[in-house]
Amino acid sequence: MDLELLTQLTQAFGPPGYEEEIRAVIREVVTPLADSVWVDPLGSLVALKRGTGGGKKTVLAAHMDEIGVMVTYVDEKGYLRFTRMGGISPLMHIGGRVRFADGTVGVISVERREDSSKIPALEQLYIDVGASSREDAPVKVGDPAVFMRPLVAQGRRLISKTLDDRVGCYVLIETLRRLGPTPDDLYFLFSVQEEVTLSGARTSAYKIDPDMALAVDVTMTGDTPKALPMAVEMGKGPAIKVQDSGMIAHPAVRDLLIAAAERVGIPYQREILLGGSTDAAAMQLVRGGVPSGCVSIPCRYVHSPSEMVDVTDVEQTVALLSAALAPA
Amino acid sequence: MNTLELIQQLSAAVGPSGREAAVSDVLRPLWEPWSDELRTDAMGNLIALQRGNGAEPRPALMSAAHMDEIALIVTGIEKGFLHVHRIGGTDCRALLGLEVTVHGQEDLPGIIGTRPPHVLSADERGRIVPWEKLFVDVGLPHAEVVARVPIGAPVSIQRPLIRLQNDLVAGKALDNRASVAALTLALQQLRRREHAWDFYAVATVQEEVGAKGALTSAFGLNPTLAIALDVTFGKQADDNGGGTFPLDKGPTIGIGPNFHPQLVQRLRDVAKSEEIPTALEPLPGHSGTDAWSIQTAREGIPCGLLGIPLRYMHQPVETLALRDVERTARLLAAFTASLEADYRPRWEDEQ
Ligand SMILES: [Zn+2]
Ligand SMILES: [Zn+2]
């Protein structure tokens, strides 16, 4: 496991629509590994690895963007009000910190409330960058920010902000590193704006016009106290998507992944995710339709600043993709 | 024609989502003198092309403003009275006592009423009248209504435009005829200016039911860049401060993932050099406008959004400042004229 790379990936700035920093990190790593690399009109990065025959095209997509916040108002005293970029819950973020593109750090806190037993609304939270007035605040309306939290490796577990979906980006990069010759042309798509609209994967898949599309993203687990029942656990192997709230995986794609896992002896889990979806849902509907599926890395506390995954799950996801894409 | 007359005419035109032909009919003679080509596409979008003077193949800017309006649709007939439901986000709190036109075999005037307050229980009196208790009355006996009004007939709201103090106007369908007016004025101004790029003005259909006309027209035109025009929330007495913009202080420029950061910056720069006041409108995801449909058409089209602040959105008293319409037109025309033949937006890490 290349922890240095994963650290770099998780810590790079990249809220939806503002993926420059993370794109630069990934571009530098994939450029020597790919036959060509380009940026699409909406900002997604594509690395193409040419196949050996047939010219069939497969897309592997992991999203570069991360959940964050956007400043909507700066008050006279320099406190910031904000809105969500992607699915964030007030419960997860009070007392946390955010970072703006220029490095400015802010603390998230909450107004005093009459009834403090209730979960506050997002409108009751504010960000304090330590400014003393509106004029003094180094931040303006429309500026995006992301949560801060370092990556920690503890035994076989990894804990960090933005494992959703930088761990998917990591899996794509590792797969690209390790893969030998493959029959299909492989398009490694590092997409933008998944957390808000899936519009990066949608538009890039249109341009590529693939024969098959796979998303690589995190999924939730059912293995924490009083979790919503879900037959996916952290540490039990990659999850092969059957269905989520945005799509039904194409059965042929699903079975291709299952057959590959069984052939090389990788443990896997069948995934049904009740709340949430991935880039695959958008890619499936491009042009005349694209057979699409998804391989998920089981992840606890998705969309909190401390997401947790298992190293073996990550490594086995790479192995599963490699087996599926380069049949021996 | 001055801006007031233009908006008056556009506000009065009837164009419920999916039935926008009457608005195109109003627009065609207005756009024709300023267009090199004018056509209606298969979905009903009205498309004007004003060619640039750059070398071919020329880049193209598409500017879209939706011409459909929220309305009602006949869902049933009970004892001669029409049951209706919404087309788009019609506000059912704002329907009682309205005058409407029922577009049946022929247009019939009608009104929306409900039981008088005297006969309501205390509980009913405090509540919003639900759709099933709202009726359109055209004054005909049951059999004749059935013969003359098919189920599915659209029902449009009648409300002549009025002029408030300080050059504000109030009326129906200003979402988004105000932007259609701005687009019309921009087309006119651009004819008198040098511009290297081709300019497509598109009056889109079916925005209020999912920005569908923008989706197909952006696919069809495949422009290099696009600027969508729509209305945005104006500051009013009872709003909670955030996310609204004062009237008569200029259009808003959308900022967020739906918009290319370089277009946002360029719009701001042009506004500054033209001395047009603007405000930034943070839109953290899907903007809920034509801009999203256009941005995600084909392989992705870099997009921007201008918003005209408007109070009481989706009520028949939508209110805005005439000067904001003119400022929006001026900004759009100046932005288009500013585009150098070889300009393409780039990402920061590509420069
Ligand atoms: Zn994700
Ligand atoms: Zn609108």
Side-chain angles (χ1 to χ4, degrees):
Chain A
M1 186 88 200
D2 183 347
L3 281 184
E4 200 184 318
L5 174 61
L6 187 60
T7 302
Q8 227 191 333
L9 292 172
T10 55
Q11 302 304 308
F13 184 85
Y18 299 84
E19 295 90 352
E20 284 90 348
E21 188 176 314
I22 177 66
R23 183 167 56 233
V25 170
I26 296 174
R27 189 208 296 251
E28 197 181 311
V29 185
V30 297
T31 300
L33 304 171
D35 292 310
S36 64
V37 172
W38 66 86
V39 177
D40 276 344
L42 296 198
S44 298
L45 180 75
V46 185
L48 167 62
K49 176 180 157 33
R50 288 217 178 280
T52 52
K56 284 219 181 234
K57 296 185 272 190
T58 293
V59 173
L60 289 116
H63 64 90
M64 295 192 284
D65 64 311
E66 63 184 306
I67 53 168
V69 299
M70 179 179 263
V71 174
T72 54
Y73 188 74
V74 183
D75 75 16
E76 315 73 58
K77 293 188 166 162
Y79 295 106
L80 320 175
R81 298 290 168 156
F82 60 94
T83 183
R84 44 171 68 85
M85 301 186 86
I88 69 165
S89 135
L91 203 54
M92 301 278 191
H93 299 292
I94 296 167
R97 299 176 191 181
V98 294
R99 179 168 71 91
F100 291 85
D102 69 352
T104 300
V105 171
V107 176
I108 300 184
S109 194
V110 61
E111 301 168 354
R112 201 186 77 83
R113 289 158 296 139
E114 289 304 319
D115 179 359
S116 59
S117 65
K118 277 209 195 111
I119 296 175
L122 197 68
E123 293 70 40
Q124 295 175 294
L125 273 53
Y126 61 87
I127 294 170
D128 182 355
V129 290
S132 48
S133 69
R134 183 179 287 150
E135 296 65 39
D136 180 41
V139 170
K140 46 184 199 327
V141 167
D143 284 353
V146 299
F147 302 105
M148 293 177 73
R149 211 62 72 92
L151 181 120
V152 173
Q154 186 157 273
R156 299 300 287 169
R157 316 296 200 190
L158 303 171
I159 307 163
S160 177
K161 75 174 266 276
T162 321
L163 286 168
D164 174 10
D165 186 28
R166 303 290 166 75
V167 72
C169 297
Y170 175 87
V171 164
L172 254 58
I173 294 169
E174 278 299 302
T175 306
L176 180 60
R177 272 180 179 164
R178 288 196 215 166
L179 262 183
T182 59
D184 290 3
D185 290 343
L186 300 182
Y187 293 80
F188 292 81
L189 165 60
F190 301 91
S191 64
V192 295
Q193 302 195 28
E194 190 273 350
E195 295 291 2
V196 287
T197 53
L198 314 181
S199 46
R202 174 199 308 258
T203 47
S204 291
Y206 178 91
K207 182 169 174 179
I208 296 164
D209 193 9
D211 299 285
M212 177 169 85
L214 285 175
V216 179
D217 206 334
V218 298
T219 191
M220 295 197 267
T221 64
D223 59 358
T224 53
K226 295 197 178 169
L228 186 72
M230 181 175 175
V232 172
E233 294 176 48
M234 186 175 69
K236 294 281 169 68
I240 296 172
K241 181 96 70 189
V242 176
Q243 185 174 333
D244 63 28
S245 55
M247 73 154 194
I248 297 169
H250 194 290
V253 177
R254 179 196 68 204
D255 292 346
L256 173 96
L257 293 164
I258 290 176
E262 288 180 349
R263 195 172 65 242
V264 295
I266 298 166
Y268 67 91
Q269 315 180 68
R270 293 164 70 94
E271 176 203 344
I272 296 170
L273 177 64
L274 295 178
S277 194
T278 72
D279 276 341
M283 297 192 289
Q284 182 182 45
L285 297 182
V286 157
R287 295 187 186 245
V290 179
S292 299
C294 177
V295 181
S296 308
I297 299 116
C299 179
R300 290 182 185 160
Y301 322 118
V302 174
H303 285 198
S304 84
S306 294
E307 297 171 326
M308 185 187 290
V309 300
D310 180 274
V311 170
T312 308
D313 286 346
V314 177
E315 288 170 344
Q316 285 174 339
T317 307
V318 175
L320 168 57
L321 286 173
S322 307
L325 297 167
Chain B
M1 195 185 311
N2 63 29
T3 309
L4 176 65
E5 290 161 345
L6 177 62
I7 289 190
Q8 223 148 19
Q9 205 183 342
L10 287 170
S11 166
V14 173
S17 307
R19 193 179 184 280
E20 298 87 351
V23 188
S24 302
D25 290 344
V26 171
L27 281 174
R28 232 175 261 115
L30 293 173
W31 284 14
E32 207 271 320
W34 319 110
S35 312
D36 296 316
E37 276 172 28
L38 187 61
R39 67 188 168 88
T40 297
D41 75 4
M43 281 283 276
N45 300 299
L46 183 70
I47 301 171
L49 165 63
Q50 204 177 96
R51 284 198 193 88
N53 57 17
E56 293 197 50
R58 265 188 303 277
L61 176 74
M62 165 182 177
S63 187
H66 72 86
M67 62 174 157
D68 62 318
E69 69 186 279
I70 54 162
L72 304 167
I73 185 166
V74 175
T75 55
I77 301 169
E78 188 178 332
K79 298 179 201 149
F81 299 93
L82 307 173
H83 278 292
V84 289
H85 216 282
R86 59 162 70 100
I87 296 177
T90 307
D91 187 347
C92 70
R93 297 171 309 165
L95 291 177
L96 272 189
L98 276 189
E99 293 165 20
V100 297
T101 301
V102 178
H103 305 282
Q105 310 292 12
E106 75 271 40
D107 287 356
L108 300 172
I111 53 94
I112 300 180
T114 189
R115 292 158 67 218
H118 320 67
V119 302
L120 297 181
S121 68
D123 185 46
E124 282 174 317
R125 229 171 282 163
R127 276 216 216 127
I128 295 160
V129 182
W131 286 100
E132 59 277 12
K133 297 260 168 76
L134 273 177
F135 291 93
V136 173
D137 184 352
V138 293
L140 289 172
H142 185 76
E144 257 196 80
V145 177
V146 171
R148 291 165 70 176
V149 180
I151 301 294
V155 176
S156 64
I157 287 145
Q158 291 306 305
R159 181 59 61 94
L161 191 83
I162 61 167
R163 199 166 173 184
L164 306 180
Q165 299 307 301
N166 203 23
D167 283 329
L168 303 194
V169 291
K172 65 162 273 263
L174 294 182
D175 171 6
N176 190 28
R177 303 290 161 68
S179 300
V180 175
L183 192 53
T184 306
L185 295 173
L187 203 55
Q188 215 175 96
Q189 290 171 21
L190 212 50
R191 187 64 339 149
R192 297 192 291 264
R193 296 180 78 143
E194 296 275 297
H195 54 102
W197 286 42
D198 283 345
F199 179 76
Y200 286 103
V202 185
T204 59
V205 298
Q206 300 192 31
E207 190 273 349
E208 297 289 1
V209 291
K212 293 170 200 273
L215 186 81
T216 57
S217 57
F219 184 97
L221 295 173
N222 194 15
T224 318
L225 303 177
I227 304 288
L229 310 180
D230 209 333
V231 294
T232 189
F233 301 110
K235 254 198 193 340
Q236 56 190 77
D238 53 347
D239 63 25
N240 49 15
T244 60
F245 301 89
L247 304 194
D248 207 15
K249 292 282 187 323
T252 62
I253 298 172
I255 182 168
N258 199 165
F259 317 109
H260 196 293
Q262 273 208 352
L263 293 192
V264 173
Q265 192 52 50
R266 201 178 173 105
L267 283 165
R268 297 179 70 187
D269 293 345
V270 171
K272 203 165 172 200
S273 68
E274 298 281 317
E275 297 180 345
I276 299 166
T278 57
L280 273 184
E281 178 174 11
L283 292 160
H286 193 313
S287 64
T289 69
D290 278 349
W292 192 75
S293 287
I294 297 169
Q295 186 199 29
T296 55
R298 294 190 182 244
E299 61 184 75
I301 295 163
C303 204
L305 174 69
L306 298 180
I308 300 173
L310 166 142
R311 292 182 196 138
Y312 324 118
M313 197 180 292
H314 287 197
Q315 296 167 14
V317 290
E318 293 178 325
T319 299
L320 54 78
L322 290 174
R323 276 186 293 265
D324 285 342
V325 175
E326 290 162 353
R327 289 171 177 133
T328 304
R330 216 147 51 75
L331 178 52
L332 179 62
F335 175 85
T336 308
S338 83
L339 296 169
E340 303 87 3
D342 60 350
Y343 172 73
R344 300 291 180 278
R346 303 192 81 69
W347 296 98
E348 236 168 68
D349 52 334
E350 288 184 293
Q351 284 157 4

